[in-house]
Amino acid sequence: MRPSHATQLSGCSRHLATRKVATTVAGIRSARAIHDSTKTSTGGSKEPIPANDNAQIEKWDADKRIKIERRPFYKLPVARLETADFVPRLRNLEKALTIMNLQIPSENLMQLVTQFLLANRARRDVHIELERWRQAVLDAFNGDLKEITRTAGLFAKLSPKKFLAHAFYKVAAEEGYQNAAYQYAVIMGTSSVGVPGAMAQSLAIIKDLVALGHPQSHITLSDIRMQSSSKESQRYAIELLEKAWRLGEAAAAFRLGNMYREGVVVERDYAQAIVWYDRASEKGAPEGHFMVGNMYSHGQGTADGKPDDVAAFGRMERAALAGSVEAQYNLGFFYMEGKGVEKNPSLTVEYWSLASAERFPVAMLNLAKLLMEGKFVTKDVRRARSLLEAAIASSGSDQFIAKQANMLLEKLGPEKKSWCSVM
């Protein structure tokens, strides 16, 4: 569903979003007060079927070691790569280490990066050099497998080339750390790291992790099984998601909500979709409330099958206050149009400002329009230009947003230079 400045809700078909922000704007308290005065629904949304949360919640033993065959390192195709390909800027690395609270000094980490590259470039005894590198990693982190795994995750974010992240994950995975094994399997299954038989190894590890009760592995194996046309395989995929939810995974409940809403594999059932979205919300995913709000706004799951803007607003507000960026944008739209709540454009500006602070493209686009026109907010062409440029940079594959933003930038014309003189 394409977001725009019109009446469309954005992000509705998205996978469980991860962007959350602190909502401390004073106007949000006003939003709640206004909503409290408009709680009576005319659409008659029915309450969802009570969730069967008496189902036994299962626990995962994260400390239990997984047995992975310790395989030799393969020489990876890194001959033409330099340290800068893995660590674009040393300053970025130092900042990331501080933010992630990783204890290893940046110079020690860079030494391991250099040693990894040199080991792969060795003309002889590559495997021996890489085994020395493995031991160097374990020594540098004093055998702390969790820290090695977190460092692997850092390199996965710093560079699109996953060779180094793969190697760090491999060290911790083959020592038996489950979370490292999971990420190791994911990289082998989704990235080209030049490891023979990577896909088969990846699937075998995921299955072993499922047997140990690793929550995320249940979701990953469910995705794989869902691709099969076999009804038995698809039923197993649903069982895996239900098990993942019992293990505490909000994403599993969210996916089940999507399946019941869209009628994928299961029969379409809006009431059950709401049950699963609520279960996702209960486990800390405000996007569950966002999706229920979106359903109510389209008459899905309401008593009379008609849109219920008041009930939709209530769910969007809950999601927005819990940090869902998509909900913050859409709540601003509700206030702008007076959908399920009294019109309050000033709160629209506040909610769109919140979403813009998290670089949500459609929020930046629409807030820029208001700033250009001086509508409901003090006119600020410079800020509008900045928001439009940021919207383009954040739009990704959404050409609609980029096109709209570029049109508005053309309307603004070239930026005027301001000169200061010192007398």
Side-chain angles (χ1 to χ4, degrees):
M1 187 173 295
R2 174 177 287 170
S4 76
H5 62 285
T7 60
Q8 296 170 325
L9 297 176
S10 63
C12 300
S13 61
R14 247 175 232 219
H15 173 59
L16 179 59
T18 56
R19 292 170 298 171
K20 299 176 185 177
V21 296
T23 51
T24 57
V25 175
I28 289 177
R29 291 193 291 271
S30 302
R32 178 172 291 183
I34 293 171
H35 175 52
D36 286 344
S37 68
T38 59
K39 280 185 176 177
T40 304
S41 170
T42 57
S45 295
K46 62 183 179 182
E47 289 300 310
I49 297 172
N52 181 23
D53 291 333
N54 291 326
Q56 184 177 359
I57 301 301
E58 300 183 24
K59 292 185 178 180
W60 161 53
D61 185 358
D63 294 326
K64 191 170 183 178
R65 291 288 184 254
I66 181 174
K67 294 180 180 179
I68 297 179
E69 180 184 353
R70 186 162 171 163
R71 298 170 181 259
F73 279 92
Y74 288 96
K75 182 176 181 179
L76 298 174
V78 298
R80 296 182 180 180
L81 300 180
E82 302 294 338
T83 54
D85 291 303
F86 299 111
V87 185
R89 293 179 63 187
L90 186 58
R91 252 178 96 184
N92 290 350
L93 175 63
E94 292 171 343
K95 183 177 180 181
L97 289 173
T98 301
I99 292 173
M100 294 179 68
N101 197 28
L102 286 165
Q103 301 303 311
I104 186 169
S106 59
E107 56 269 23
N108 291 14
L109 198 51
M110 288 304 297
Q111 186 176 351
L112 289 173
V113 174
T114 302
Q115 185 178 345
F116 174 75
L117 289 172
L118 292 175
N120 275 282
R121 291 172 183 163
R123 294 185 179 181
R124 297 175 57 186
D125 301 326
V126 174
H127 299 316
I128 294 174
E129 292 301 320
L130 284 167
E131 287 302 321
R132 287 175 179 164
W133 179 82
R134 182 203 297 268
Q135 191 57 51
V137 170
L138 291 169
D139 291 343
F141 287 89
N142 296 314
D144 190 330
L145 302 180
K146 184 176 180 180
E147 288 294 284
I148 294 173
T149 302
R150 294 178 65 222
T151 301
L154 169 62
F155 283 118
K157 292 176 182 177
L158 285 176
S159 171
K161 298 176 177 65
K162 305 303 180 188
F163 302 119
L164 191 58
H166 169 267
F168 273 96
Y169 280 134
K170 176 180 171 66
V171 171
E174 292 183 346
E175 292 293 321
Y177 188 54
Q178 288 187 50
N179 283 338
Y182 173 73
Q183 297 296 342
Y184 177 54
V186 168
I187 283 186
M188 285 199 295
T190 59
S191 302
S192 177
V193 291
V195 176
M199 291 297 293
Q201 289 183 52
S202 173
L203 183 57
I205 292 171
I206 292 294
K207 288 180 177 178
D208 287 345
L209 285 166
V210 166
L212 289 172
H214 186 265
Q216 290 174 295
S217 296
H218 284 72
I219 298 176
T220 300
L221 187 56
S222 174
D223 288 343
I224 296 170
R225 295 301 187 198
M226 200 69 74
Q227 295 171 17
S228 170
S229 58
S230 163
K231 295 295 183 183
E232 183 179 353
S233 185
Q234 292 174 351
R235 280 196 296 271
Y236 180 48
I238 294 172
E239 290 174 9
L240 286 165
L241 288 177
E242 291 174 347
K243 176 75 176 291
W245 164 70
R246 291 196 297 273
L247 287 164
E249 281 295 310
F254 192 86
R255 291 193 186 197
L256 284 163
N258 287 341
M259 289 169 65
Y260 278 105
R261 182 190 183 192
E262 298 165 11
V264 175
V265 179
V266 297
E267 186 177 347
R268 177 173 286 165
D269 187 329
Y270 291 142
Q272 279 300 311
I274 292 171
V275 166
W276 284 107
Y277 285 139
D278 282 344
R279 284 173 168 169
S281 298
E282 288 165 7
K283 292 194 180 297
E287 291 79 8
H289 288 309
F290 168 77
M291 290 303 294
V292 175
N294 182 258
M295 289 178 66
Y296 286 157
S297 71
H298 288 85
Q300 298 171 347
T302 58
D304 55 7
K306 296 180 181 179
D308 185 341
D309 290 338
V310 172
F313 173 87
R315 287 303 190 115
M316 286 290 177
E317 184 185 47
R318 290 174 72 177
L321 293 172
S324 167
V325 179
E326 286 85 352
Q328 287 166 358
Y329 166 71
N330 284 300
L331 201 63
F333 168 75
F334 274 54
Y335 277 116
M336 179 65 76
E337 297 293 320
K339 285 173 62 70
V341 69
E342 183 181 336
K343 279 189 178 183
N344 192 330
S346 65
L347 285 178
T348 295
V349 173
E350 291 194 30
Y351 276 109
W352 284 358
S353 295
L354 275 176
S356 295
E358 290 299 302
R359 301 182 68 81
F360 192 56
V362 69
M364 291 189 282
L365 176 68
N366 289 338
L367 182 57
K369 290 179 183 179
L370 297 183
L371 290 165
M372 287 172 62
E373 299 168 0
K375 196 173 184 181
F376 311 124
V377 66
T378 303
K379 188 172 182 178
D380 189 336
V381 173
R382 178 175 293 182
R383 187 184 173 202
R385 186 187 303 277
S386 176
L387 284 168
L388 291 172
E389 291 171 349
I392 294 170
S394 303
S395 61
S397 60
D398 193 334
Q399 295 301 312
F400 176 80
I401 295 291
K403 182 179 178 181
Q404 293 289 311
N406 276 312
M407 288 173 59
L408 291 173
L409 283 172
E410 289 178 12
K411 187 175 179 180
L412 284 176
E415 185 174 8
K416 295 180 181 179
K417 300 288 185 181
S418 60
W419 303 96
C420 297
S421 60
V422 178
M423 302 299 291

